[in-house]
Amino acid sequence: MQQVHNLDARRARRILVAQVVATLVVTLVGLRFGPRAGFFALLGGSIATIANALCALWVFGRYRAAEPGKLLAQFYGGEVLKLGFIAAAFAAVIIWLEPLSPLALFGAFFVVQVLPPLLANRVAG
């Protein structure tokens, strides 16, 4: 069972690395539309990446193969943590940073959140 844990943790790590790369790419694309768009693209991609890193850490950092019954609860807890972080981070950006560049912020978040998992078979090996 430990082999499965190591494989899943390794796959999660690879997807997170892909999300970091995707964040850098969307930031560079955003910079082509100006520094503000690049900054908000960086924020959006970072929110997605950090939220997924928190979820992965919550699930795989506390995972014990001897306690498979707790795994589902850990996944739910990780998702709640992830969604709470996303809500708080977006709220902070929207409240404190003006003028907002919503297309860059939410577009980058969407790309970084969706693209690496879609490519997970290639990325995670």
Side-chain angles (χ1 to χ4, degrees):
M1 197 63 132
Q2 187 65 21
Q3 278 184 326
V4 172
H5 172 256
N6 289 340
L7 179 63
D8 290 340
R10 191 172 43 240
R11 283 184 176 166
R13 198 173 308 116
R14 287 183 182 165
I15 290 173
L16 288 170
V17 168
Q19 287 184 309
V20 168
V21 171
T23 297
L24 295 175
V25 170
V26 297
T27 300
L28 291 173
V29 170
L31 284 171
R32 295 191 48 92
F33 295 96
R36 189 144 202 89
F39 176 66
F40 277 96
L42 175 64
L43 288 175
S46 296
I47 290 170
T49 303
I50 293 168
N52 285 311
L54 287 172
C55 184
L57 185 62
W58 182 269
V59 172
F60 296 111
R62 301 171 45 158
Y63 178 75
R64 301 288 173 257
E67 302 172 339
K70 291 186 176 181
L71 184 59
L72 183 61
Q74 285 178 231
F75 272 105
Y76 281 127
E79 282 299 314
V80 168
L81 177 66
K82 176 177 147 178
L83 292 173
F85 174 80
I86 290 169
F90 276 135
V93 168
I94 290 168
I95 291 168
W96 290 324
L97 298 176
E98 288 188 20
L100 189 65
S101 181
L103 181 60
L105 179 68
F106 295 114
F109 175 83
F110 180 79
V111 167
V112 172
Q113 181 68 27
V114 172
L115 190 60
L118 284 177
L119 303 174
N121 287 334
R122 286 202 171 130
V123 172

